[in-house]
Amino acid sequence: MSTCALCAAGVLALAPPVAAVGRTSADTSAPGQRKAAVPPPGLLEEEGTQVRLRAGAPDLPDVSALSWLVADAGTGEVLAAHDAHRRLPPASTLKTLFALTVLPAFPAGVQHTVSAKELAGIGEGSSLVGLVEGHAYKVADLWRGVFLNSGNDAVHVLAALNGGWDQTARQVETKARSLGALDTTVVSPDGYDADGQASSAYDLAVFGRAGLRDPDFARYCSTAHAAFPGYDGTTYQIANTNRLLTGADGVEPYPGLLGIKNGYTSNAGNTLVAAARQGGRTLVVTVMNPQGGEGHTVYEEARGLLDWGFDAAGYVDPVGSLDALRPGARAHAKAVASAGSAAPPRAEPDAGPDWSQTGTIASAIGVGAGALLLGLGFTGRRYARD
């Protein structure tokens, strides 16, 4: 027994450390053949850029955003990220979570007459789709106002239908917990700046990925233009504010873009959740508050991350998963529910591994992992890079 323990200690001592950013120079296996697909738990909790490049992988693009993430929407694997769990103001990208929560509640064809009370309390300077008191709109029109024009007036009306602003805020935050998104605090469901309101690149990618699984959400977020009912029986055209989708203002549309949501406030800066599909593979990216360039930088940095993600297929090992709840996440979600949340959190049907169990199994897999590394003749070394 003691001899085995000494051998195990020796094996583990030889195992290479995991650094924030690294490239395995000795890995010559073919693209798509992974030796270390499962990332160390908690890697995305660390500060800085996290990526595990294999030999032949393209370099990451320069990204000035305070926080960003690129993931495979199909598998949930996070391919690379920078400060993934940094809590920042989300602006209108928070509308993705609002839609995940409220969209299933009302059939698209239901008509509702807007009241003055429902339009009260909209934040100064908010983006609006132009709802008029006393006019009847279909629920589908309201959602087009949310997704295309980022209309806070449409969010307020839908929240009123859902039981009110405060109740909806509680439900929206509970929905985040049910998805394993622990960085998100909801004060204003439309994304308007509010004290304490925050989300993260990780959480927003979770919301975007979940939205793509809902056919209605996917249809609304990918709609570039639509006719919107006017107050006098006519219609007027509204356009999606996501310029990667529409190509407006000189931004080149991204091939295969599936849309999702952009946002801007003076406090949040420019934010974006975007997804694209190419060659049978779908990627989702989040970019929060670029520090360089002008207003369109958020789109160009998202473009660079999408290009890198598609080019890096088979050349990177994941640094985390959008499915994996972080240590303590399940217990935290249960605590939120027992504290009186509006709706109990539920695990998604395809929820991934529970990283909260890794502490108890680490000792069991450590020896095997170390022995496997020696058996494979692993000599690569990862290095840190800012």
Side-chain angles (χ1 to χ4, degrees), residues 61-68 82 287-293 297-298 301:
D62 291 330
V63 180
S64 69
L66 294 180
S67 179
W68 55 263
H82 179 82
V287 178
M288 301 188 75
N289 201 350
Q291 300 298 288
T297 301
V298 70
E301 294 192 350

PDB file of all heavy atoms in Angstrom, residues 61-68 82 287-293 297-298 301:
ATOM      1  N   PRO A  61      -7.137  36.002 -31.709  1.00  0.00           N
ATOM      2  CA  PRO A  61      -7.088  37.395 -32.182  1.00  0.00           C
ATOM      3  C   PRO A  61      -6.907  38.351 -31.008  1.00  0.00           C
ATOM      4  O   PRO A  61      -7.140  37.988 -29.847  1.00  0.00           O
ATOM      5  CB  PRO A  61      -8.463  37.579 -32.830  1.00  0.00           C
ATOM      6  CG  PRO A  61      -9.353  36.632 -32.083  1.00  0.00           C
ATOM      7  CD  PRO A  61      -8.497  35.432 -31.767  1.00  0.00           C
ATOM      8  N   ASP A  62      -6.474  39.558 -31.315  1.00  0.00           N
ATOM      9  CA  ASP A  62      -6.395  40.593 -30.280  1.00  0.00           C
ATOM     10  C   ASP A  62      -7.805  41.077 -29.971  1.00  0.00           C
ATOM     11  O   ASP A  62      -8.543  41.488 -30.868  1.00  0.00           O
ATOM     12  CB  ASP A  62      -5.541  41.762 -30.767  1.00  0.00           C
ATOM     13  CG  ASP A  62      -4.074  41.389 -30.900  1.00  0.00           C
ATOM     14  OD1 ASP A  62      -3.625  40.514 -30.144  1.00  0.00           O
ATOM     15  OD2 ASP A  62      -3.400  41.969 -31.778  1.00  0.00           O
ATOM     16  N   VAL A  63      -8.169  41.009 -28.701  1.00  0.00           N
ATOM     17  CA  VAL A  63      -9.506  41.418 -28.267  1.00  0.00           C
ATOM     18  C   VAL A  63      -9.340  42.370 -27.093  1.00  0.00           C
ATOM     19  O   VAL A  63      -8.692  42.036 -26.095  1.00  0.00           O
ATOM     20  CB  VAL A  63     -10.363  40.211 -27.850  1.00  0.00           C
ATOM     21  CG1 VAL A  63     -11.750  40.660 -27.410  1.00  0.00           C
ATOM     22  CG2 VAL A  63     -10.469  39.204 -28.997  1.00  0.00           C
ATOM     23  N   SER A  64      -9.925  43.560 -27.195  1.00  0.00           N
ATOM     24  CA  SER A  64      -9.767  44.575 -26.156  1.00  0.00           C
ATOM     25  C   SER A  64     -10.871  44.528 -25.105  1.00  0.00           C
ATOM     26  O   SER A  64     -10.802  45.256 -24.117  1.00  0.00           O
ATOM     27  CB  SER A  64      -9.749  45.972 -26.795  1.00  0.00           C
ATOM     28  OG  SER A  64     -11.040  46.301 -27.318  1.00  0.00           O
ATOM     29  N   ALA A  65     -11.888  43.696 -25.305  1.00  0.00           N
ATOM     30  CA  ALA A  65     -13.036  43.658 -24.393  1.00  0.00           C
ATOM     31  C   ALA A  65     -12.601  43.277 -22.980  1.00  0.00           C
ATOM     32  O   ALA A  65     -11.673  42.490 -22.788  1.00  0.00           O
ATOM     33  CB  ALA A  65     -14.079  42.668 -24.905  1.00  0.00           C
ATOM     34  N   LEU A  66     -13.289  43.835 -22.001  1.00  0.00           N
ATOM     35  CA  LEU A  66     -12.990  43.505 -20.608  1.00  0.00           C
ATOM     36  C   LEU A  66     -13.224  42.026 -20.326  1.00  0.00           C
ATOM     37  O   LEU A  66     -12.559  41.433 -19.474  1.00  0.00           O
ATOM     38  CB  LEU A  66     -13.858  44.351 -19.675  1.00  0.00           C
ATOM     39  CG  LEU A  66     -13.612  45.860 -19.681  1.00  0.00           C
ATOM     40  CD1 LEU A  66     -14.561  46.546 -18.699  1.00  0.00           C
ATOM     41  CD2 LEU A  66     -12.157  46.182 -19.350  1.00  0.00           C
ATOM     42  N   SER A  67     -14.170  41.448 -21.030  1.00  0.00           N
ATOM     43  CA  SER A  67     -14.492  40.033 -20.835  1.00  0.00           C
ATOM     44  C   SER A  67     -15.029  39.480 -22.146  1.00  0.00           C
ATOM     45  O   SER A  67     -15.769  40.167 -22.850  1.00  0.00           O
ATOM     46  CB  SER A  67     -15.530  39.878 -19.715  1.00  0.00           C
ATOM     47  OG  SER A  67     -15.889  38.524 -19.523  1.00  0.00           O
ATOM     48  N   TRP A  68     -14.654  38.230 -22.478  1.00  0.00           N
ATOM     49  CA  TRP A  68     -15.170  37.606 -23.698  1.00  0.00           C
ATOM     50  C   TRP A  68     -15.085  36.093 -23.580  1.00  0.00           C
ATOM     51  O   TRP A  68     -14.389  35.556 -22.702  1.00  0.00           O
ATOM     52  CB  TRP A  68     -14.428  38.093 -24.940  1.00  0.00           C
ATOM     53  CG  TRP A  68     -12.926  37.920 -24.917  1.00  0.00           C
ATOM     54  CD1 TRP A  68     -11.994  38.855 -24.589  1.00  0.00           C
ATOM     55  CD2 TRP A  68     -12.186  36.721 -25.251  1.00  0.00           C
ATOM     56  NE1 TRP A  68     -10.723  38.328 -24.690  1.00  0.00           N
ATOM     57  CE2 TRP A  68     -10.816  37.016 -25.101  1.00  0.00           C
ATOM     58  CE3 TRP A  68     -12.557  35.445 -25.656  1.00  0.00           C
ATOM     59  CZ2 TRP A  68      -9.809  36.089 -25.333  1.00  0.00           C
ATOM     60  CZ3 TRP A  68     -11.562  34.500 -25.889  1.00  0.00           C
ATOM     61  CH2 TRP A  68     -10.209  34.828 -25.729  1.00  0.00           C
ATOM     62  N   HIS A  82     -11.772  35.070 -21.698  1.00  0.00           N
ATOM     63  CA  HIS A  82     -10.984  36.031 -20.914  1.00  0.00           C
ATOM     64  C   HIS A  82     -11.868  36.574 -19.802  1.00  0.00           C
ATOM     65  O   HIS A  82     -12.917  37.173 -20.072  1.00  0.00           O
ATOM     66  CB  HIS A  82     -10.484  37.175 -21.806  1.00  0.00           C
ATOM     67  CG  HIS A  82      -9.701  38.215 -21.066  1.00  0.00           C
ATOM     68  ND1 HIS A  82      -8.357  38.058 -20.768  1.00  0.00           N
ATOM     69  CD2 HIS A  82     -10.063  39.414 -20.529  1.00  0.00           C
ATOM     70  CE1 HIS A  82      -7.924  39.110 -20.105  1.00  0.00           C
ATOM     71  NE2 HIS A  82      -8.949  39.954 -19.939  1.00  0.00           N
ATOM     72  N   VAL A 287     -19.004  39.225 -26.143  1.00  0.00           N
ATOM     73  CA  VAL A 287     -18.011  40.293 -26.048  1.00  0.00           C
ATOM     74  C   VAL A 287     -18.608  41.390 -25.175  1.00  0.00           C
ATOM     75  O   VAL A 287     -19.688  41.905 -25.472  1.00  0.00           O
ATOM     76  CB  VAL A 287     -17.643  40.848 -27.443  1.00  0.00           C
ATOM     77  CG1 VAL A 287     -16.642  41.993 -27.316  1.00  0.00           C
ATOM     78  CG2 VAL A 287     -17.089  39.742 -28.337  1.00  0.00           C
ATOM     79  N   MET A 288     -17.900  41.761 -24.111  1.00  0.00           N
ATOM     80  CA  MET A 288     -18.412  42.751 -23.172  1.00  0.00           C
ATOM     81  C   MET A 288     -17.439  43.925 -23.035  1.00  0.00           C
ATOM     82  O   MET A 288     -16.296  43.753 -22.589  1.00  0.00           O
ATOM     83  CB  MET A 288     -18.659  42.117 -21.799  1.00  0.00           C
ATOM     84  CG  MET A 288     -19.649  40.959 -21.814  1.00  0.00           C
ATOM     85  SD  MET A 288     -20.113  40.383 -20.159  1.00  0.00           S
ATOM     86  CE  MET A 288     -21.229  41.715 -19.648  1.00  0.00           C
ATOM     87  N   ASN A 289     -17.890  45.072 -23.466  1.00  0.00           N
ATOM     88  CA  ASN A 289     -17.235  46.364 -23.255  1.00  0.00           C
ATOM     89  C   ASN A 289     -15.821  46.434 -23.835  1.00  0.00           C
ATOM     90  O   ASN A 289     -14.833  46.534 -23.098  1.00  0.00           O
ATOM     91  CB  ASN A 289     -17.192  46.697 -21.759  1.00  0.00           C
ATOM     92  CG  ASN A 289     -16.997  48.187 -21.514  1.00  0.00           C
ATOM     93  OD1 ASN A 289     -16.709  48.951 -22.423  1.00  0.00           O
ATOM     94  ND2 ASN A 289     -17.156  48.586 -20.271  1.00  0.00           N
ATOM     95  N   PRO A 290     -15.695  46.428 -25.166  1.00  0.00           N
ATOM     96  CA  PRO A 290     -14.375  46.641 -25.778  1.00  0.00           C
ATOM     97  C   PRO A 290     -13.782  47.978 -25.350  1.00  0.00           C
ATOM     98  O   PRO A 290     -14.493  48.977 -25.230  1.00  0.00           O
ATOM     99  CB  PRO A 290     -14.680  46.619 -27.277  1.00  0.00           C
ATOM    100  CG  PRO A 290     -15.949  45.838 -27.395  1.00  0.00           C
ATOM    101  CD  PRO A 290     -16.744  46.176 -26.171  1.00  0.00           C
ATOM    102  N   GLN A 291     -12.482  47.982 -25.151  1.00  0.00           N
ATOM    103  CA  GLN A 291     -11.790  49.186 -24.690  1.00  0.00           C
ATOM    104  C   GLN A 291     -11.092  49.929 -25.829  1.00  0.00           C
ATOM    105  O   GLN A 291     -10.579  51.019 -25.623  1.00  0.00           O
ATOM    106  CB  GLN A 291     -10.761  48.805 -23.624  1.00  0.00           C
ATOM    107  CG  GLN A 291     -11.361  48.147 -22.402  1.00  0.00           C
ATOM    108  CD  GLN A 291     -12.330  49.057 -21.679  1.00  0.00           C
ATOM    109  OE1 GLN A 291     -11.899  50.035 -21.041  1.00  0.00           O
ATOM    110  NE2 GLN A 291     -13.617  48.767 -21.766  1.00  0.00           N
ATOM    111  N   GLY A 292     -11.067  49.320 -27.003  1.00  0.00           N
ATOM    112  CA  GLY A 292     -10.415  49.961 -28.142  1.00  0.00           C
ATOM    113  C   GLY A 292     -11.409  50.278 -29.231  1.00  0.00           C
ATOM    114  O   GLY A 292     -12.517  49.748 -29.273  1.00  0.00           O
ATOM    115  N   GLY A 293     -11.017  51.160 -30.146  1.00  0.00           N
ATOM    116  CA  GLY A 293     -11.860  51.468 -31.290  1.00  0.00           C
ATOM    117  C   GLY A 293     -13.092  52.267 -30.933  1.00  0.00           C
ATOM    118  O   GLY A 293     -13.138  52.957 -29.907  1.00  0.00           O
ATOM    119  N   THR A 297     -16.526  48.294 -32.764  1.00  0.00           N
ATOM    120  CA  THR A 297     -15.468  47.374 -32.363  1.00  0.00           C
ATOM    121  C   THR A 297     -16.036  46.077 -31.802  1.00  0.00           C
ATOM    122  O   THR A 297     -15.463  44.996 -31.986  1.00  0.00           O
ATOM    123  CB  THR A 297     -14.551  48.043 -31.325  1.00  0.00           C
ATOM    124  OG1 THR A 297     -13.991  49.226 -31.891  1.00  0.00           O
ATOM    125  CG2 THR A 297     -13.426  47.114 -30.894  1.00  0.00           C
ATOM    126  N   VAL A 298     -17.157  46.168 -31.113  1.00  0.00           N
ATOM    127  CA  VAL A 298     -17.747  44.966 -30.520  1.00  0.00           C
ATOM    128  C   VAL A 298     -18.072  43.933 -31.590  1.00  0.00           C
ATOM    129  O   VAL A 298     -17.919  42.720 -31.369  1.00  0.00           O
ATOM    130  CB  VAL A 298     -19.004  45.333 -29.695  1.00  0.00           C
ATOM    131  CG1 VAL A 298     -20.163  45.771 -30.589  1.00  0.00           C
ATOM    132  CG2 VAL A 298     -19.421  44.173 -28.791  1.00  0.00           C
ATOM    133  N   GLU A 301     -14.623  42.490 -33.017  1.00  0.00           N
ATOM    134  CA  GLU A 301     -13.990  41.556 -32.089  1.00  0.00           C
ATOM    135  C   GLU A 301     -14.772  40.249 -32.020  1.00  0.00           C
ATOM    136  O   GLU A 301     -14.178  39.164 -31.914  1.00  0.00           O
ATOM    137  CB  GLU A 301     -13.833  42.204 -30.716  1.00  0.00           C
ATOM    138  CG  GLU A 301     -12.861  43.373 -30.758  1.00  0.00           C
ATOM    139  CD  GLU A 301     -12.422  43.881 -29.400  1.00  0.00           C
ATOM    140  OE1 GLU A 301     -13.007  43.467 -28.378  1.00  0.00           O
ATOM    141  OE2 GLU A 301     -11.474  44.712 -29.366  1.00  0.00           O
TER     142      GLU A 301
END
